[in-house]
Amino acid sequence: MKTKLWRTLSALLVSTTVLAVTACGADASPGDATGDGGSRPAPGRGGSAVVRTEGGLVRGSVTDIARVFRGIPYAAPPVGPLRWQDPKPAAAWNGERDATKPPPACAQNPGAVPGGSTAEDCLYLNVTVPSGKTTGPKPVVVWIHGGAFVNGTGSSLDPARIAQRGDVVVVTINYRLGMLGYYGLPGLPGSGTFGLSDQQAALSWVQRNIGAFQGDPGNVTLAGESSGAMSSCAQLTSPGAAGLFQKAVLQSGACNVSWLDNFDERHKKAGAVFRPRSEIEERGRKTATELGCGGRDPAAVIDCMRGLPVDKLMPVLGGFVNPAFDTPVLPVDPIDALDKGQFMRVPIISGNTRNEATLNAVYYDYPEPVTDRTYDEVLTETFGPDRAKVDAEYPRSAYGSAAEAFAAVITDRKWACTQYDSSRKLARYTPVHQFEFADPKPPSLLPEPTKMPMGAYHSSDVLSLFDIAGLSVHFTPEQQQLSDRIIDYWTSFARTGDPNGPGRPDWPTFRADVNPPYTQALAPGASGVARVDLAAEHHCGFWAGMSRGG
C-alpha cells in the first residue's frame, strides 16, 4: 500500500482532486449528433452558447463569468487498431454537440479520478471563454494537467477565474496516460510518445479552431504543472511542436528532473523522466510476454497487444510513465537539447514551490511521516560514502523532525535545483522569469491534518490559479491578494511575454550572467513578493558538486 500511496497522493494534488465534476466525467457521454454540422470554423458570437468548430456545432454552458465548452474531440478515439498509434483526425458530426458535460478521463487507476477510469475514448478538450470582456482576439492558455504521466484529467481544474480576471481563453486537455500513452515495442511506430503526440494534436486543433472562441491562434501559451510542466518542456524541444505555441509556463517540472535511490519511495531506484526508446521498447517486449503476447514476429505481438481488453492492461498501466527520446517526437534527450540550445526560443516562466517534497515525506513511513530510523537508513543506502557530506549540509538539528529534513533533501536535489539549472540553460537563449511559490501555510487538500508542517507543498501553487469543482478552498485576504497577483502575472505574460504590469511588484528576468540570477518569491503579505536567492536557499552549489547524483 505504501508503494502506491505517494503516487496516489501526488495525483490527487498534482492533477488536483475533482470529486463532483470528474466523478461524473468518467462516465459522461461525449455528446450526440442530431442535425447538420460543418467543417469550417466561424467566429464565435459574443456570449453565445453555440460555436462552430471544424467538426460541427458545439453547445456549451454560459454563466456571468464564462462560456464553457466541454468534451470537444480533438482526435479520433484511439481504440482497437488505433490503440498505440499517433492521433488521427476526429470525425465530424451533425447538429449541435452537447458540450456541457466533462468528457471521460483517460484510462487510469483510482486516485485523481474517484474510482479510476477504463476509457480509451478520451481525447477531448475543454474551452473556457470569459464573459463580458473584450471582443477579442484574446491570448490563449493551453493547460497540460499533471499526475505523474499516469493520472489526471483536463476537467480536474476550473479555469473560469483565470479566464475572467485575465481576459484570456483557457484550454484544458486530456491525453493518453501510463501504458496507453508511453508504451513501446520494437517495430511499433510512435513508441513511448503517444501522450506527447496527443498534446501536439490538441495544440494543432487550437491553431485551427480557437478563433471561433475569440482566441488568437498566434498568441498561445503552453502551461502545465509537474508532469504537465515536464511535457511542456519536452514540447519546447520537439520539432513537431514548432509554431504551435509562442510562450511556455513550467510549474514544478523541467526537462532535467531526476531523483536518487529511495527518494520517492523505499527501494525505488534512481532515474530521470525521459528515457531512451530502446529501454522503453525492451520493457514493452517483456510486458507483452507477461501478458501472453510474446513472440518473434513484431507485427503479431503488436496485434495481440491491441486485442487485449483494457481491463487486462490496468494492473501494469503505471509501468510506463517515461516519455521516450530517440524518437520522431523527441529526437534527442530533452536534457541534452537544453544543454545544446536546441529548443524553441520563446519567453518562459519557470519555478517551483518552496517545500515540494513535504507531500512525499508525510506518508513515506506509511501511515506516519519519515522517522529518525528510516531517515538514517535511507540516507546511508542512498549516499553511501557521501552520507557525511549530506549530514553536514543538512544537519538534523536544523529541522523540526527527520521528515522535514528528508523533505528538504528531496525538495532541493530533485525539484528546486534541477529546475534552477534548467532555467539557467534556457536563459542563455530566451527571456526567463523564475519564481518560487512560498506561501508557508497554503490551503491543504489532504484528507486529514498532517503530523508535520507542509509549507508550500508540491502543487499548492495551482490553487492560486484554478478553482476545484466539488471542493471548498478558503483563502485569507492576503492569500486572495496573492492569487490575484499570480493570475495577473501569468495572464500578462500570456498576453505580451512579460509578466509585469501596473498594480504588482516588478519581476525582473532571470539572467544567467547575473550572480545570483533573479528569482521572484511569491508569498502572501506586504513583503511576500520579493527577491530570493534560490540557489543558496536550496543548496544548489552543494548538489552540483556531489560525486553521487549531483
Side-chain angles (χ1 to χ4, degrees), residues 412-494:
D412 296 353
R413 168 56 183 82
K414 177 179 178 179
W415 296 105
C417 296
T418 56
Q419 191 110 18
Y420 181 83
D421 179 64
S422 176
S423 293
R424 290 182 65 93
K425 292 170 180 175
L426 292 164
R428 291 179 300 173
Y429 301 96
T430 195
V432 173
H433 285 83
Q434 179 86 1
F435 75 92
E436 178 176 81
F437 182 77
D439 186 346
K441 294 183 178 180
S444 175
L445 294 176
L446 290 171
E448 57 189 24
T450 60
K451 296 182 180 180
M452 61 173 282
M454 296 298 291
Y457 58 88
H458 186 67
S459 79
S460 56
D461 55 336
V462 176
L463 300 178
S464 292
L465 294 166
F466 293 91
D467 291 323
I468 305 171
L471 294 178
S472 179
V473 174
H474 299 288
F475 285 148
T476 66
E478 291 79 11
Q479 288 172 328
Q480 184 61 61
Q481 181 188 50
L482 176 64
S483 172
D484 292 343
R485 279 180 170 173
I486 291 174
I487 289 175
D488 291 345
Y489 278 135
W490 264 232
T491 56
S492 176
F493 175 79

Side-chain angles (χ1 to χ4, degrees), residues 104 246 260 428 499 506:
Q246 290 70 45
L260 306 184
R428 291 179 300 173
D506 187 54

Side-chain angles (χ1 to χ4, degrees), residues 224-289:
E225 189 268 345
S226 196
S227 59
M230 298 167 198
S231 296
S232 298
C233 191
Q235 298 296 358
L236 285 170
T237 74
S238 175
L244 297 181
F245 58 95
Q246 290 70 45
K247 304 170 209 67
V249 177
L250 313 177
Q251 295 178 223
S252 298
C255 285
N256 56 347
V257 171
S258 62
W259 52 91
L260 306 184
D261 290 350
N262 300 301
F263 263 32
D264 289 344
E265 55 197 41
R266 194 71 179 272
H267 306 306
K268 179 180 177 179
K269 295 299 183 182
V273 174
F274 303 99
R275 306 304 303 162
R277 175 179 54 84
S278 58
E279 176 184 312
I280 302 298
E281 290 182 345
E282 176 59 20
R283 191 188 313 163
R285 186 191 63 78
K286 292 179 179 178
T287 301
T289 299

Side-chain angles (χ1 to χ4, degrees), residues 64 75 125 131 165 219 309 378 410 499 536:
D64 292 339
L125 52 77
S131 295
R165 183 175 178 88
N219 193 9
V378 166
I410 299 176

Side-chain angles (χ1 to χ4, degrees), residues 375-402:
Y375 180 72
D376 182 69
E377 292 175 349
V378 166
L379 257 64
T380 298
E381 292 172 11
T382 301
F383 296 103
D386 287 334
R387 163 69 191 270
K389 296 179 183 179
V390 178
D391 283 332
E393 191 74 13
Y394 295 84
R396 171 68 180 78
S397 60
Y399 299 91
S401 66

Side-chain angles (χ1 to χ4, degrees), residues 35-117:
D36 183 45
S39 59
R40 184 178 180 182
R45 294 164 289 175
S48 174
V50 179
V51 169
R52 184 181 296 277
T53 72
E54 63 185 1
L57 298 171
V58 292
R59 176 176 289 277
S61 305
V62 179
T63 70
D64 292 339
I65 297 176
R67 294 184 292 147
V68 182
F69 303 84
R70 298 182 176 93
I72 303 174
Y74 68 83
V79 299
L82 296 186
R83 179 191 283 176
W84 298 312
Q85 285 202 44
D86 285 340
K88 307 302 180 185
W93 59 89
N94 295 322
E96 292 181 358
R97 186 184 189 91
D98 180 9
T100 63
K101 301 174 183 177
C106 287
Q108 57 194 278
N109 289 301
V113 173
S117 171

Side-chain angles (χ1 to χ4, degrees), residues 508-520:
T509 55
F510 179 98
R511 291 176 51 189
D513 61 343
V514 174
N515 189 23
Y518 190 93
T519 297
Q520 187 93 311

